[in-house]
């Protein structure tokens, strides 16, 4: 088995009990200022100070990382990876308040419905190629694990197709040394022109589990699923053995975050309009509060109440919400920058939210998200000794390489 020794790095290990960090513990990054790390095969074998490397590792292939930060790779625990193209004209029109460049006479050919039409019309090859390119790009910013939702199918047939494409993408990604993919079945919006469709979901949820989906997610909001429909779907998914996630409190307060936390959801996501009365309940629950700064950046405030959640003891994660309508960015460093500049997080809290807490939001905190012996060797290396430079330089990419399950992938210069 191949063995590699990394030396003289500024290491942020995030090491701990393999679970989400909460409240003030989010500021502890496990710094080793002249750190070393031994990787054997796909696993981390040893972590410590360069001066204390055990003799048995002396004759190992070595990479000198002086002047560089090494941290766990980012875990992007909320994306809609599988789509055709961002809806650029809708995004530009929203920002400029000018009409869309391509007039769309049919009101249904906008928003999620439009992305669903494009998904239906695109070939498997086109969808896979676009998702593959996004995986390469997001890995280039330091991401080594990514969650990916269905949700542009909107019919059982097309949702099954999305799951099958995610299964193929996941296998290809593993073979190619691209980020690990965790698939989620998403109940996005009911098909237009019909009553709320919850009936058709039960068989789909059953099938999703056998096709490799780990999570079930439902978008609970006005114009999407109601609280009662969302609850029924979540209970159905829980019975089928899927872990639960919810798009909650994004555009309107609905009570979805409180409901999902009570059901034991692994994460409650968005929370821009989390009712003040529910904040303590969410913070004290086992659910990770996954906040998506890119969404507020592209669609406007309010920003999610990150500071209040952490101060109330919550486990907060950050993710991109990469999607064609409200966040076309796949850069985790950009999300960290937004979280610090606009959501009052410290750089250390943001880093924790993007690594070990992201892993916890995927039920993967025992496997990735920190640098400690036995864990998968998913690392990101940055051209700086100070991670604050990564956070506060959102237009620069300081990531020089990532290690994906023990394999180094250098950035194209
Ligand atoms: Zn989303």
């Amino acid at each position: 088995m191949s063995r590699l020794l990394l030396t003289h790095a500024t290491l942020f290990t995030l090491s701990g009990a393999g679970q989400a960090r909460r409240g003030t513990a989010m500021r502890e990054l496990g710094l080793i200022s002249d750190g070393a790390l031994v990787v054997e095969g796909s696993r981390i074998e040893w972590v410590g100070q360069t001066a204390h490397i055990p003799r048995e590792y002396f004759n190992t292939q070595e990479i000198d990382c002086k002047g560089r930060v090494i941290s766990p790779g980012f875990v992007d625990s909320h994306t809609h990876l599988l789509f055709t193209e961002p809806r650029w004209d809708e995004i530009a029109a929203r920002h400029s308040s000018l009409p869309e460049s391509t007039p769309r006479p049919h009101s249904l050919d906008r928003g999620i419905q439009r992305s669903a039409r494009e998904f239906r019309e695109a070939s498997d090859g086109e969808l896979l190629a676009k998702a593959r390119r996004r995986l390469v790009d997001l890995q280039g910013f330091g991401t080594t694990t990514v969650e990916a939702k269905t949700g542009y199918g909107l019919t059982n047939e097309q949702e099954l197709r999305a799951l099958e494409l995610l299964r193929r993408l996941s296998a290809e990604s593993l073979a190619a040394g691209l980020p690990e993919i965790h698939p989620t079945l998403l109940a996005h919006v009911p098909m237009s022109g019909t009553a709320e469709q919850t009936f058709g979901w039960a068989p789909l949820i059953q099938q999703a589990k056998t096709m490799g989906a780990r999570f079930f997610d439902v978008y609970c909001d006005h114009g999407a699923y109601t609280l009662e429909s969302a609850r029924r779907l979540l209970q159905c998914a829980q019975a089928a053995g899927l872990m639960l996630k919810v798009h909650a409190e994004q555009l309107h307060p609905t009570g979805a975050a409180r409901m999902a936390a009570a059901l034991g959801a692994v994460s409650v996501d968005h929370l821009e309009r989390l009712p003040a009365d529910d904040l303590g309940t969410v913070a004290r629950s086992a659910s990770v509060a996954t906040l998506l700064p890119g969404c507020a950046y592209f669609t406007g405030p309010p920003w999610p109440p990150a500071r209040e959640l952490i101060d109330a003891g919550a486990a907060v994660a950050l993710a991109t919400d990469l999607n064609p309508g409200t966040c076309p960015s796949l850069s985790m460093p950009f999300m960290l920058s937004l979280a610090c500049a606009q959501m009052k997080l410290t750089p250390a809290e943001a880093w924790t939210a993007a690594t070990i807490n992201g892993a916890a939001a995927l039920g993967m905190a025992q496997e990735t998200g920190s640098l400690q012996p036995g864990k998968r060797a998913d690392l990101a290396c940055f051209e700086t000794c100070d991670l604050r430079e990564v956070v506060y330089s959102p237009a620069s990419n300081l990531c020089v390489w990532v290690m994906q399950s023990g394999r180094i992938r250098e950035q194209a210069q």
Side-chain angles (χ1 to χ4, degrees):
M1 208 183 299
S2 65
R3 188 189 271 171
L4 197 60
L5 171 63
L6 308 176
T7 56
H8 302 297
T10 303
L11 280 186
F12 291 98
T13 66
L14 280 299
S15 68
Q19 61 189 30
R21 288 178 180 246
R22 318 181 71 91
T24 52
M26 287 186 65
R27 291 175 214 159
E28 294 159 21
L29 296 181
L31 167 69
I32 304 176
S33 49
D34 184 358
L37 192 139
V38 176
V39 174
E40 183 143 343
S42 63
R43 298 275 150 185
I44 296 170
E45 173 84 5
W46 182 88
V47 182
Q49 290 181 316
T50 301
H52 297 155
I53 296 168
R55 185 171 295 276
E56 63 191 286
Y57 301 127
F58 279 7
N59 291 320
T60 302
Q61 184 191 349
E62 180 180 338
I63 299 178
D64 187 337
C65 301
K66 192 168 173 46
R68 291 178 165 179
V69 160
I70 291 182
S71 91
F74 296 129
V75 178
D76 190 349
S77 62
H78 183 138
T79 86
H80 303 253
L81 180 71
L82 196 63
F83 59 91
T84 52
E85 282 296 307
R87 303 189 300 270
W88 301 119
D89 49 352
E90 290 179 30
I91 294 169
R94 186 166 60 226
H95 290 159
S96 64
S97 301
L98 293 171
E100 289 169 22
S101 53
T102 312
R104 298 189 173 273
H106 300 293
S107 61
L108 289 181
D109 202 33
R110 306 187 76 255
I112 293 168
Q113 300 290 345
R114 175 177 158 199
S115 289
R117 176 186 59 74
E118 292 176 356
F119 181 86
R120 215 163 41 239
E121 291 172 3
S123 68
D124 290 357
E126 179 188 349
L127 287 163
L128 286 173
K130 286 182 166 160
R132 213 177 285 126
R133 192 189 130 188
R134 289 177 195 126
L135 286 171
V136 171
D137 288 353
L138 62 87
Q139 189 183 49
F141 286 105
T143 300
T144 50
T145 303
V146 59
E147 183 259 14
K149 303 176 196 297
T150 68
Y152 296 111
L154 301 186
T155 64
N156 284 23
E157 182 195 352
Q158 289 292 324
E159 284 293 308
L160 284 173
R161 177 181 174 228
L163 283 169
E164 177 57 28
L165 289 173
L166 286 177
R167 181 156 72 175
R168 279 171 62 183
L169 195 64
S170 180
E172 279 182 25
S173 197
L174 186 69
L178 286 168
E180 181 173 87
I181 298 172
H182 293 263
T184 296
L185 176 67
L186 169 63
H188 213 167
V189 291
M191 280 292 275
S192 60
T194 64
E196 275 198 15
Q197 290 186 336
T198 52
F199 173 75
W201 279 97
L204 185 56
I205 286 169
Q206 293 291 342
Q207 226 167 332
K209 170 82 175 164
T210 66
M211 293 179 70
R214 297 188 64 226
F215 307 97
F216 175 78
D217 188 347
V218 57
Y219 180 21
C220 182
D221 213 315
H222 299 185
Y225 286 89
T226 64
L227 188 65
E228 275 318 303
S229 297
R231 189 198 310 273
R232 280 199 299 277
L233 290 176
L234 289 165
Q235 287 169 334
C236 175
Q238 195 161 44
L242 292 168
M243 285 184 274
L244 309 182
K245 290 177 169 289
V246 181
H247 281 66
E249 330 287 1
Q250 181 189 5
L251 302 175
H252 304 88
T254 61
R258 172 189 283 267
M259 179 265 291
L263 286 173
V266 67
S267 72
V268 291
D269 300 29
H270 274 291
L271 309 183
E272 286 88 337
R273 289 176 173 82
L274 179 65
D277 286 352
D278 289 353
L279 194 135
T281 306
V282 170
R284 286 188 298 272
S285 76
S287 306
V288 175
T290 300
L291 309 180
L292 310 164
C295 225
Y297 173 77
F298 283 103
T299 63
W303 296 88
R307 184 73 271 144
E308 292 85 345
L309 281 164
I310 293 175
D311 290 348
V316 166
L318 291 169
T320 61
D321 197 18
L322 168 65
N323 77 80
T326 57
C327 184
S329 173
L330 44 67
S331 162
M332 284 295 281
F334 181 46
M335 301 305 141
L336 271 67
S337 190
L338 292 174
C340 292
Q342 303 294 337
M343 288 158 51
K344 302 182 181 173
L345 263 61
T346 68
E349 288 168 338
W351 211 276
T352 298
T355 53
I356 188 67
N357 284 10
L362 296 182
M364 292 292 290
Q366 300 279 339
E367 176 72 356
T368 191
S370 66
L371 307 182
Q372 49 198 117
K375 278 200 157 180
R376 204 164 61 208
D378 293 341
L379 281 56
C381 178
F382 300 91
E383 190 70 68
T384 177
C385 287
D386 190 334
L387 57 73
R388 289 173 297 188
E389 190 177 353
V390 179
V391 172
Y392 293 122
S393 310
S396 306
N397 186 7
L398 299 179
C399 181
V400 281
W401 53 256
V402 298
M403 181 182 284
Q404 186 77 48
S405 282
R407 291 162 68 178
I408 287 192
R409 289 182 65 94
E410 305 261 358
Q411 303 307 319
Q413 295 296 321

